[in-house]
Amino acid sequence: MSTYLVTGAAGFIGSVLAKKLVEMGHEVYTIDNLSTGFRENIPELVEFIEGNCQDKNIIEELNNVHFDAIFHLAGQSSGEISFDDPVYDLQTNTQSSLLLLDYALKTECKKVIYASTMSVYGEQPDEPIRETNRLIPKSFYAVGKIASEHYLRIYSEYGLHTTALRLFNVYGPGQNMKNLRQGMVSIFLAQAIDNRHIHVKGSSERYRDFVHIDDVVQAFLMANEDRRAGYNCYNVGTGVRHTVGNLIEKILAHLPFDVTVEYSGSTPGDQFGIYADIQKIRNEIGWSCHISFDEGLKRMTEWAIRAKELNHG
Ligand SMILES: NC(=O)c1ccc[n+]([C@@H]2O[C@H](COP(=O)([O-])OP(=O)(O)OC[C@H]3O[C@@H](n4cnc5c(N)ncnc54)[C@H](O)[C@@H]3O)[C@@H](O)[C@H]2O)c1
């Protein structure tokens, strides 16, 4: 049995990762401030500390427990929201990384795995994007994530094994359907189910790489198994390009009722298009995705409709 810290286990990705680790028989701790997460998402048996990862007093509440690895997922996860309060974004997404890396070093935790983002790339050519591409961030969120990546790299020089996973558009059951400023699939699906109307901010020609939550959690687990030293960063996507128009068509096809669609406005800091080259993660840690977009979207739509019915008794 190993002992892990999964920050942000009340959130979408952290809760699924924490649940999986508990099912595997491990001991799991979490820190979560419940800003976008829900207490009921935190799996049973997880040791929960409520508070901010950028708060030294909260980190001290870990009592110098030695973790086999720290998975740092807690943070503000929207480029758009980072424009509301850039200083808060820096604290929640970057200062938190620094404090956790420092804790890892002090307590001889050898491994830190970080939830970075495809947003670090900004505008790029219409081709699969590699980890070596130049980073041209368009939002404060992306700038903070790049800074965290550099902290990981510097701490690897002190002996930590650090990994940044640049997650592309993660979707799937459990995604927050109330936060209409984060998560393209969840936003459109929530609008469709709640209002029978989808408002798309931006062009239908924009494109993304949609990766299912179960595949993403597997990437975290495999990154943890990777025994190579130093700092590494990997794209976690499918390598498949889908336009926004294509996504909307697929959502409509899965719904048992009619939905109207309107395109107007735009979102600050939004990239026009991006999809991943996934050769590096495949070659170095053996990860690839197993859930096709059609299958994943079908599972998510069924889950979202069921959840809505349950909420309305
Ligand atoms: N969902 C995606 O498509 C996606 C893509 C790229 C990167 N990411 C990154 O993955 C991570 C998890 O994303 P998610 O989709 O699960 O988001 P989420 O909002 O569902 O989960 C984040 C969790 O962290 C908690 N939290 C936020 N700030 C905190 C802080 N300062 N201290 C303690 N807890 C805090 C929230 O309450 C929430 O439970 C984030 O770091 C995000 O930037 C997500």
Side-chain angles (χ1 to χ4, degrees), residues 102-117:
D102 190 57
Y103 180 86
L105 194 66
K106 229 175 46 197
T107 55
E108 297 185 351
C109 161
K110 288 277 174 257
K111 187 126 189 161
V112 177
I113 301 164
Y114 179 60
S116 186
T117 169

Side-chain angles (χ1 to χ4, degrees), residues 7-15 30-39 41-42 48-55 58 72-78 88 91-93 96 114-119 141 145 165-171 174-176 179 182-184 211 213 216 220 236:
T7 67
F12 171 40
I13 306 171
S15 62
T30 192
I31 300 174
D32 199 298
N33 64 9
L34 302 180
S35 56
T36 53
F38 304 95
R39 199 182 192 113
N41 279 354
I42 301 174
F48 173 41
I49 297 171
E50 184 172 346
N52 290 312
C53 291
Q54 68 274 25
D55 179 344
I58 291 294
H72 182 30
L73 287 87
Q76 184 301 99
S77 62
S78 153
Y88 176 73
Q91 291 164 339
T92 185
N93 282 2
S96 63
Y114 179 60
S116 186
T117 169
M118 53 118 189
S119 303
Y141 167 68
K145 289 285 185 179
L165 297 178
R166 291 179 178 165
L167 311 181
F168 279 61
N169 277 66
V170 188
Y171 74 99
Q175 195 160 11
N176 187 340
N179 181 353
Q182 201 283 326
M184 199 180 263
V211 58
I213 176 74
V216 171
F220 277 95
V236 179

Side-chain angles (χ1 to χ4, degrees), residues 139-214:
S139 64
F140 297 119
Y141 167 68
V143 171
K145 289 285 185 179
I146 293 174
S148 286
E149 290 188 358
H150 283 294
Y151 285 127
L152 293 178
R153 182 180 55 74
I154 290 171
Y155 271 78
S156 77
E157 290 167 16
Y158 305 152
L160 298 190
H161 178 185
T162 56
T163 307
L165 297 178
R166 291 179 178 165
L167 311 181
F168 279 61
N169 277 66
V170 188
Y171 74 99
Q175 195 160 11
N176 187 340
M177 303 288 284
K178 301 279 176 230
N179 181 353
L180 296 183
R181 294 174 81 193
Q182 201 283 326
M184 199 180 263
V185 176
S186 55
I187 292 171
F188 295 156
L189 196 53
Q191 290 181 351
I193 293 174
D194 289 344
N195 314 324
R196 305 288 196 263
H197 180 76
I198 298 176
H199 174 202
V200 183
K201 292 193 274 177
S203 158
S204 65
E205 294 304 310
R206 287 174 302 140
Y207 54 91
R208 291 288 186 275
D209 185 334
F210 299 102
V211 58
H212 191 271
I213 176 74
D214 293 349

Side-chain angles (χ1 to χ4, degrees), residues 6 8 36 39 58 94 98 130 218-219 223 246 267 276 278 300-301 307:
V6 178
T36 53
R39 199 182 192 113
I58 291 294
T94 312
L98 191 52
R130 306 175 80 155
Q218 194 57 29
N246 185 229
T267 305
I278 49 172
M300 182 164 179
T301 310

